[in-house]
Amino acid sequence: MDAVAHLRNQLVDYTASLFQEGFLDDQFTQLQQLQDESNPDFVVEVVTLFFEDAERLLNELAKELGQASIDFKRVDAHVHQLKGSSSSIGAQRVQKVCIAFRGYCEEQNVEGCLKSLQQVKEEYWLVKNKLETLFKMKQQLLAAGGSVPM
Amino acid sequence: MEVCDLLPPDSEEVHVLAVDDSLVDRKVIERLLRISACKVTAVDSGIRALQFLGLDNQKSPSESDGFDGLKVDLIITDYCMPGMTGYELLKKIKESSTFKEIPVVIMSSENVLPRIDRCLEEGAEDFIVKPVKLSDVKRLRDYMTTREVKAGSQEREGGVRFTKRKLTEPADLDSSPPSVTSSSVLSSSPSSPLDSASPTPSPSVSPPPSPSPLDSPVTRLRMTTTTSAD
């Protein structure tokens, strides 16, 4: 098997695994469909915006939950934003934790919120790593002269 | 009709004003709209949207019909935004004698029926549950049209024929169950033949107490298309 075919298979398999394991959902596929020759980096651009947004929000959340008196409305507002942007790029597992997180905010459950923050951080870093790996694989494939499967 | 022929292709493009405080969502909606052959202006708040329309300073009506070709044919706005919500923006637009005819679509990540009802009653054209997909935007094309085009070309596929909207593409019916598609919401209006055909069970979207709230956006739209001869 030549190098290009190998890289291509790797990319296809890896992508499939991300969907199977629930890291990504159909919305990610939607984004891929919006990419074309006129906008070849669309997915990377949106995902990068998501990374920036998410990291900002995670920092805010850590700050808010570190306060002596927690403002659950503010916490909820940040989680709502994170839920929204993760949903928009198809980061399903992040989105799911956000949903639970919001529940704890509503209950004003400090422990629940702290646990959720931990979980959402973990899920975020996981999906970030996986997406970066995915993009790298795609770049390698393109550099080797291959075409990216849709 | 000749005027239409002379117009550069650009001005026949539908111009959408997109309002969302999320940068990620703005990027996505912008792309969705552009790929659907729309011109897009994306702003991050209701206040900015009003500024763009010239509604914040209560400018004179002559200035408010867009400025120099920047006419807005559709406004699509997020519901949950800090400061002015999408609902409040919707109200301001519908209160404006010059802009009330512009169709306004609300987007929300939350599928809350009272919210949806309230928006439709206030005159929203449609309500899209996020995340927004290409099929959602394609559906919006049905009531997006430039005002020049309305007066002229009849073959324009983007022309307003809201009856077509009810005969929506299969993709619309395939959309994931939780989202309340416009066809299922609007199909509670008596005139839709597709009521029974919609496989997506409308989660207890009860018919409005009187037909007028749901009919009004459609009626209003009807009135703006008097010049388009199908």
Side-chain angles (χ1 to χ4, degrees):
Chain A
M1 183 187 290
D2 76 340
V4 171
H6 173 75
L7 287 170
R8 207 165 196 275
N9 285 345
Q10 215 184 17
L11 178 62
V12 170
D13 289 346
Y14 193 67
T15 307
S17 74
L18 295 185
F19 283 92
Q20 271 153 24
E21 290 162 31
F23 287 103
L24 298 176
D25 66 22
D26 181 62
Q27 187 61 16
F28 188 79
T29 310
Q30 287 278 322
L31 296 187
Q32 287 177 310
Q33 287 168 2
L34 297 180
Q35 191 161 278
D36 60 20
E37 312 77 43
S38 69
N39 274 262
D41 301 315
F42 177 71
V43 180
V44 173
E45 287 167 7
V46 183
V47 171
T48 305
L49 285 177
F50 166 70
F51 290 161
E52 289 164 3
D53 202 42
E55 284 169 44
R56 172 186 63 86
L57 289 166
L58 288 172
N59 282 334
E60 291 294 323
L61 282 167
K63 211 165 48 176
E64 294 290 343
L65 288 171
Q67 303 290 325
S69 167
I70 297 173
D71 183 343
F72 287 99
K73 277 205 152 55
R74 279 180 68 89
V75 175
D76 183 68
H78 293 317
V79 179
H80 172 78
Q81 280 187 52
L82 184 56
K83 173 174 153 278
S85 53
S86 58
S87 150
S88 293
I89 68 145
Q92 190 182 65
R93 282 164 62 149
V94 174
Q95 186 194 357
K96 285 201 166 132
V97 179
C98 287
I99 292 171
F101 202 154
R102 292 195 79 193
Y104 290 123
C105 289
E106 218 172 322
E107 292 168 16
Q108 307 215 345
N109 182 335
V110 178
E111 254 195 66
C113 283
L114 290 171
K115 193 180 72 169
S116 289
L117 177 59
Q118 200 45 45
Q119 276 182 312
V120 82
K121 272 187 191 168
E122 282 166 11
E123 289 300 338
Y124 168 69
W125 288 106
L126 270 173
V127 79
K128 181 173 186 195
N129 274 329
K130 291 186 182 284
L131 285 169
E132 284 176 338
T133 303
L134 186 68
F135 296 147
K136 218 173 289 182
M137 281 186 183
K138 178 187 155 185
Q139 273 176 321
Q140 283 171 345
L141 175 61
L142 291 173
S147 62
V148 180
M150 275 315 285
Chain B
M1 315 308 149
E2 295 91 2
V3 173
C4 245
D5 293 341
L6 291 175
L7 285 174
D10 262 5
S11 57
E12 281 191 31
E13 266 190 316
V14 180
H15 179 210
V16 182
L17 176 61
V19 191
D20 200 316
D21 61 312
S22 158
L23 184 51
V24 172
D25 288 354
R26 274 202 307 283
K27 175 122 182 140
V28 173
I29 195 74
E30 246 182 318
R31 180 72 185 135
L32 285 169
L33 290 166
R34 290 213 169 105
I35 219 174
S36 308
C38 298
K39 271 208 295 267
V40 190
T41 299
V43 298
D44 64 2
S45 71
I47 306 280
R48 291 228 203 278
L50 293 178
Q51 281 170 355
F52 182 79
L53 293 169
L55 269 181
D56 58 332
N57 295 328
Q58 302 303 314
K59 289 206 171 92
S60 64
S62 58
E63 285 178 68
S64 51
D65 195 26
F67 358 105
D68 305 319
L70 287 178
K71 293 178 185 186
V72 172
D73 302 299
L74 174 83
I75 296 168
I76 182 163
T77 177
D78 190 23
Y79 184 94
C80 282
M81 295 188 290
M84 184 183 286
T85 66
Y87 176 71
E88 287 160 352
L89 175 62
L90 166 69
K91 275 181 38 179
K92 283 244 157 24
I93 290 163
K94 293 303 168 187
E95 281 163 12
S96 149
S97 51
T98 23
F99 289 114
K100 64 181 180 190
E101 287 179 15
I102 302 182
V104 181
V105 174
I106 310 282
M107 305 178 279
S108 176
S109 55
E110 280 147 342
N111 194 352
V112 177
L113 283 176
R115 176 181 295 184
I116 296 170
D117 285 344
R118 201 177 344 130
C119 290
L120 293 177
E121 278 165 26
E122 200 57 47
E125 193 60 40
D126 203 340
F127 191 101
I128 297 175
V129 178
K130 284 180 159 181
V132 185
K133 303 180 184 321
L134 198 54
S135 56
D136 294 318
V137 175
K138 285 197 165 133
R139 197 178 71 227
L140 297 185
R141 294 274 327 175
D142 280 353
Y143 37 80
M144 287 197 282
T145 189
T146 60
R147 296 184 197 173
E148 293 95 349
V149 172
K150 251 185 269 184
S153 161
Q154 292 132 18
E155 323 88 77
R156 176 152 180 89
E157 57 180 332
V160 177
R161 275 162 250 142
F162 47 87
T163 47
K164 259 200 184 169
R165 172 160 43 113
K166 304 222 162 93
L167 306 167
T168 40
E169 304 89 342
D172 183 48
L173 300 177
D174 285 340
S175 57
S176 49
S179 51
V180 177
T181 60
S182 85
S183 58
S184 51
V185 173
L186 290 168
S187 63
S188 48
S189 119
S191 51
S192 166
L194 276 201
D195 261 337
S196 49
S198 167
T200 321
S202 303
S204 55
V205 174
S206 49
S210 71
S212 40
L214 274 187
D215 277 346
S216 52
V218 175
T219 311
R220 201 175 294 126
L221 204 57
R222 227 171 246 147
M223 297 197 307
T224 63
T225 63
T226 47
T227 50
S228 81
D230 279 339

